[in-house]
Every structure is written in C-alpha cells, then in structure tokens.
Amino acid sequence: MKKTAPAKKAAPAKKAAPAKKAAKKAAPAKKAAPAKKQASAKAAQQAPAKRQAPAKTPAVAPKKASAAVKGVAPAKTVAAKPPRGESRTALVRRARRINRELAEVYPYAHPELDFENPFQLVVATVLSAQTTDLRVNQTTPALFAKYPTPEDLAAANPEEVEEILRPTGFFRAKTKSVIGLSKALAEDFGGEVPGRLEDLVKLPGVGRKTAFVVLGNAFGRPGITVDTHFQRLVRRWEWTEETDPDKIEAAVGALFPKSDWTDLSHHVIWHGRRICHARKPACGACPIAPLCPAYGEGETDPEKAKKLLKYEKGGFPGQRLNPPRSYLDAGGKAAPPLGAG
C-alpha cells in the first residue's frame, strides 16, 4: 500500500509538467498573432499608395493642340494601341475623334497653295506634283502675272513657260500639262474651270486628287485629297491597309460624313507636315498620341520632339506667301517670295 500511493501521486505530476510547458509555448504564440495582424495592417495601408501611383501619370495627351500651338511640348504619354480585332464601330469612333482633335489643333487649316480663282488653283495644284507648295507659291506669281487667263496660257510660248516653271522641277512636263489644260478650258469649257469631277479629270494633268482639291476649295464641294501625307497618316492610324490612292479615298470616306471630307483632308495633311513626319515623327509632341497605334515610331521625349516641329509650331514660315488672316492671327508666318534670303 505504501509503495503504490506515491506512484499514483507521481503520475499526475508527470502529466502536469507537459501541460505547463505547452501553456508556456502557447503564450508566446498568442502574443505573436497581433504582431502578424499589425504587419498585415501596415501592408494593407501601404497597398493603396502603390495602386494610386499610376494616376499621377496622365493617360491622355495634354490639352490637345493648345500646348502644341503655343510651342509647349506635351507630357509623355503612352498610347493605348487599339486591339487587332477593333470593331468597325470602334474604328469609326476613333477616326472621328482624331479628326475632332486635329480640328482643335488646326482651326485655321487651309489649302496651302496661293490662289485667287479656280483657274489659278487648278494650275497650282498640277504644278505641286513632286515639289512643295511653298516652291509653287513662289513661282506662280510670275506665271499668273504674264498669263492671267486660260486663253493667255493656252497661247503661250512653251519655252517661256518652261523658264518660269523651272524652279518647280519637271518643268517641261508641267509646262505641257498647264498649257494643255488651259487649251481644254478655253476650247471645251468657255475658259471656265468646270465644277464637276467627271469634267475636271478630263483635263490634261488633272487626276482625282487635283480634282478634289479644286472642288473642295474653289467650289465648296466635299472631296478627299489623298496626297503622300494623307496616305502615310491614315495607314499609321490603321484607318485602312489600302495602298492605292483611289481605294484609300473610298475606305477613309466611308468613315466620315461627306460634309467632313474637305476639312478632314486639311487636318490630316497639316498634321503630316508639321508633326507626324515621314522619317522622324514627333510622337512626344503629338496631341493625338493616345489614339495612335503607331505611337513610339518617332521621338517620344517631349523636349526632343519639340525640336522636330515645323512651320508655325517650330517658329518657321508656312507654305503660303498670302495666307488667310486666321492663320496669321494664330501665330503663323507668311513664306518669303522666290529669291528672298
């Protein structure tokens, strides 16, 4: 009896010891739990700050053309490239938005050939092939001073006309074209430039592009002018994959109401000459960068892009010797006459 009693008392003692050790081990675990909660709470407080960081970078271009017109380069932007599967509706909306943005950038956009009547415009447009509008504008004052009407130019000595047109390049072919179209006007249209597409394209040297320039700017009839700038930009913007000018005209024309066609042509051509250049587009100074799938093909740094700007945005004269008042009021400068330093 005496031996068994201590054994019974010792048994609970051995069982109690592990229980106390377990309690001691459990206590720190309970204290550590709040530390983990505090750490997670701190992490949670820091998490929103990281998510809000991108909001500091503007997702859209700076206030449209106002920045570019005043010579202030926009902030860096990252364009959201449209998906490959862009729907027809999405394409139409994006294209029209680009045109609206450009209309605010170039509210004074105009044909950059000097002219006073339809005859001068059709001749100047024919002469603008393979040269700049500026060179044509510097050359035509002497031409129209000597041959003011279609009848006068039709009867001109080709060698004398060639000498005047020499600065425009390809002057022999151009002389043949302008004398030929003048004869056609004098003989077939009573010395007046016709106001219909089907008649204009019958004139020597006049294609659809030239015809739409004349219709849109001399007669106020809508037309799309598909020149080299227009072709380059609408393909960069993925409005069409066509390469033929007539097909480009049809594809782009389908995206816009007919009433927009003439001004659309001016907006696109002006943007191509001033910002979206062929070799070095000034992407960092482009107000429509967020809408452009080709953003990044050119210089994206705003300061470097600013140096690429041409004409009024870069502080240089435009193409016309006699530009509209609205252009001059916007800060544009008239081009110098031929031979001026």
Side-chain angles (χ1 to χ4, degrees), residues 122 177 180-182 184-185 188-189 193-194 199-207:
V122 69
S177 292
L181 74 85
S182 296
L185 290 175
D188 302 333
F189 298 99
V193 176
D199 293 330
L200 284 169
V201 295
K202 293 177 183 177
L203 300 174
V206 177

Side-chain angles (χ1 to χ4, degrees), residues 159-175:
E159 292 182 359
E160 294 179 359
V161 176
E162 285 179 3
E163 193 59 31
I164 295 174
L165 300 184
R166 185 180 294 272
T168 66
F170 302 94
F171 57 92
R172 291 190 179 88
K174 290 179 180 181
T175 295

Side-chain angles (χ1 to χ4, degrees), residues 124-199:
T125 307
V126 169
L127 296 179
S128 68
Q130 304 299 317
T131 190
T132 64
D133 287 354
L134 171 58
R135 180 60 69 188
V136 174
N137 292 336
Q138 292 172 327
T139 306
T140 51
L143 180 70
F144 295 138
K146 192 169 185 177
Y147 311 107
T149 68
E151 291 82 1
D152 295 327
L153 191 52
N157 181 334
E159 292 182 359
E160 294 179 359
V161 176
E162 285 179 3
E163 193 59 31
I164 295 174
L165 300 184
R166 185 180 294 272
T168 66
F170 302 94
F171 57 92
R172 291 190 179 88
K174 290 179 180 181
T175 295
K176 184 177 180 180
S177 292
V178 297
I179 290 179
L181 74 85
S182 296
K183 287 181 178 178
L185 290 175
E187 296 171 3
D188 302 333
F189 298 99
E192 299 292 333
V193 176
R196 299 194 311 166
L197 176 65
E198 53 268 36
D199 293 330

